[in-house]
Amino acid sequence: MPQLPITNYQLPISPIPPLGEGGFHYPLPKLRMFVSGLELWQWINQAKAEAIDYDIAVTELDWFLIELTGLDRLALRLESFKDLPKIELKLSLSELVELWRRACRNGCLCSI
């Protein structure tokens, strides 16, 4: 078997990327957050009361939920999500609650 000649060719070496979360060099999978439809419905009723107390239009709450839950305006209006066993959230429910409270204290969603 013939031998291949050895060359001085070197493969380019890419710099090691900075460490990510948890010290890993590869992207971590995004955690999926879920809440039951009933639990979300109960929170929405509380959030509507807060919106009224802070003089924020309830439609702002709808926009907030559309962005963070993936539910559409009709599902929110008809409350058809209420019986779903789980709804995926972009944030945990506790983070969603805190974000809404911060928006209410600031008087608008533009500051979140």
Side-chain angles (χ1 to χ4, degrees):
M1 183 176 211
Q3 296 249 340
L4 294 174
I6 299 174
T7 65
N8 285 334
Y9 179 77
Q10 292 181 332
L11 294 173
I13 299 173
S14 61
I16 297 173
L19 293 177
E21 293 180 8
F24 297 103
H25 288 289
Y26 54 88
L28 295 175
K30 189 170 184 172
L31 295 177
R32 297 172 63 180
M33 312 282 183
F34 295 94
V35 66
S36 73
L38 181 60
E39 192 175 6
L40 183 62
W41 177 79
Q42 290 169 338
W43 177 77
I44 288 172
N45 287 328
Q46 292 174 354
K48 285 179 181 178
E50 289 176 355
I52 292 167
D53 290 344
Y54 285 96
D55 199 28
I56 295 174
V58 176
T59 54
E60 291 291 314
L61 176 61
D62 288 347
W63 174 84
F64 181 78
L65 291 166
I66 288 167
E67 288 297 315
L68 297 175
T69 66
L71 294 172
D72 60 27
R73 188 176 301 269
L74 184 60
L76 292 169
R77 187 74 52 221
L78 298 176
E79 298 179 343
S80 58
F81 61 90
K82 184 178 173 182
D83 296 324
L84 294 175
K86 63 181 183 178
I87 297 170
E88 187 169 358
L89 301 175
K90 293 182 181 177
L91 303 170
S92 70
L93 184 58
S94 61
E95 291 171 318
L96 186 134
V97 169
E98 180 54 37
L99 197 57
W100 177 250
R101 285 187 180 150
R102 189 174 349 142
C104 286
R105 285 191 305 264
N106 293 333
C108 71
L109 294 175
C110 59
S111 60
I112 58 173

